[in-house]
Structure formats: structure tokens, C-alpha cells
Amino acid sequence: TSTIIDGRLTGNVLKINSDNVTIQGLTIQHSGLIYPNSGINLSSDNNQIYNNIIMNNYYGMTLYHSSGNIINGNIIQNDDHCGIYLNNSSRNSIKNNTIKLHNFNGIGLYYASNNNTIQDNNLTNNGFCGVNIRTSQGNKVIGNNISDNKIGIHLPSNNIEINNTFSNNNIKIDREYEFFKYDIFLI
């Protein structure tokens, strides 16, 4: 990619509030290094983000209340916190990306980020999880190469993982089970 958008360590590099935007073939770097700054900040729907290099930001990409986005074929690396962070964002497709060298998660799904597809990505050398799903359901983690993370996938119940390849993670899958409360009656 020959076009570089440099945030000069201030704020979000790109903030997308409109629907149906395509971001392709850019190098996006140097957001501000405090929460919630990112290389690409999405708060809109049905965007296409593909074949970009996103690096050296606080978060590589953040999605807030965003759905129907396609994130495909990007290299997302060396961001301070997470490669891709979803908050209340559902029905997004994250495929064929290389997501590596983050201090925390490669991909983090939080706060009712439901029914997303994470498929055929390379998730490598992330300090905590390759994929970290929290308080979200209906997500599919399929056919990813997940290596050299502390935890490959943190997986609550009501999410599925299929045909992922794991190597050199401290823990392959950290399953989070729902525990049911049983009343005990003493007679």
C-alpha cells in the first residue's frame, strides 16, 4: 500500500460514522495512545474494510454499535491494546486477516457483540487471547490459525468454534460455562 494515513499519535486516525463506506489499500497508523483511540473507529453499518495495513495504534480497529461490516484481508499488527475490538456490534464478518503482536487480544468481542463470524484468520503472538469473547453469543470462530497466544480462544457457552488450528498457546480453548443455580431443600 502506497498511501499512508498517519494520526501523529492524536485521536482516531479514521472515524467512520456513515454507512456503506469502503476503505481499501491504505496503511493506517499512529492513533493516539489512550482509550478509546484506534486506527479505524467504526460506528456505522455495512462498511467494507479490506487489504489495509493497520499498525502502531492503541486499538487497530474498534466497532461500536456497528453491524454488517466486512473486514477482510487486512494486516493488523503492533497495536498497543487489541487488533479488533467489538462493543455491542453484531453480524460482522472478520475473515482472512493477519492479526498479530498485540499486548492484549487479537480480536475481542464484548457487551452483546452477537452473531459475528471470525473465519480463516491468522492470530499470532497476542499477549492474552487470540479471540476473546465476553458477554456475547452466537459467534462462530471457524478455521483460524491460532498460535503463540496466552489463550487461543476464550469461549463462553452459546458460541461455537470449528476446525481451528492451535499451536504454542498456553491454553488452546478457555471454555466459560454457565453454572445453573440449584436450590437444595433439606428435609
Side-chain angles (χ1 to χ4, degrees):
T1 59
S2 59
T3 302
I4 298 172
I5 302 176
D6 194 307
R8 297 184 180 179
L9 303 177
T10 304
N12 294 298
V13 181
L14 295 178
K15 186 169 178 63
I16 311 300
N17 296 328
S18 298
D19 297 340
N20 303 304
V21 172
T22 298
I23 299 172
Q24 175 186 8
L26 302 173
T27 296
I28 299 161
Q29 62 188 22
H30 298 138
S31 75
L33 294 179
I34 57 170
Y35 178 85
N37 294 318
S38 59
I40 299 175
N41 174 297
L42 288 178
S43 53
S44 54
D45 302 331
N46 302 315
N47 301 292
Q48 295 187 40
I49 313 295
Y50 60 98
N51 299 333
N52 300 286
I53 298 171
I54 302 165
M55 63 182 190
N56 300 324
N57 301 287
Y58 189 74
Y59 289 105
M61 185 181 308
T62 50
L63 286 77
Y64 295 98
H65 301 277
S66 298
S67 64
N69 297 289
I70 297 172
I71 301 166
N72 193 329
N74 301 284
I75 297 170
I76 303 171
Q77 64 185 14
N78 291 102
D79 298 297
D80 184 74
H81 241 63
C82 299
I84 301 175
Y85 172 85
L86 288 79
N87 183 322
N88 212 330
S89 295
S90 297
R91 298 179 312 282
N92 297 287
S93 171
I94 302 172
K95 294 184 179 178
N96 301 306
N97 301 284
T98 296
I99 303 169
K100 63 183 181 177
L101 299 167
H102 298 94
N103 290 332
F104 293 94
N105 302 309
I107 301 172
L109 290 82
Y110 291 83
Y111 310 111
S113 291
N114 303 323
N115 303 309
N116 296 287
T117 300
I118 299 169
Q119 185 171 357
D120 297 328
N121 299 286
N122 290 311
L123 297 142
T124 308
N125 287 107
N126 297 293
F128 190 54
C129 292
V131 178
N132 192 357
I133 302 173
R134 301 282 177 165
T135 60
S136 301
Q137 61 186 0
N139 296 292
K140 298 175 187 156
V141 184
I142 305 168
N144 299 281
N145 291 315
I146 302 173
S147 63
D148 299 296
N149 306 285
K150 183 175 180 183
I151 298 169
I153 302 172
H154 177 84
L155 192 72
S157 57
N158 300 320
N159 295 277
I160 62 168
E161 70 85 22
I162 303 168
N163 294 334
N164 294 287
T165 302
F166 298 91
S167 62
N168 297 322
N169 301 285
N170 292 355
I171 300 169
K172 287 197 315 190
I173 301 173
D174 180 26
R175 295 188 189 274
E176 178 184 312
Y177 295 102
E178 289 183 25
F179 294 98
F180 298 97
K181 183 179 177 184
Y182 294 99
D183 292 323
I184 298 173
F185 297 96
L186 298 175
I187 298 177

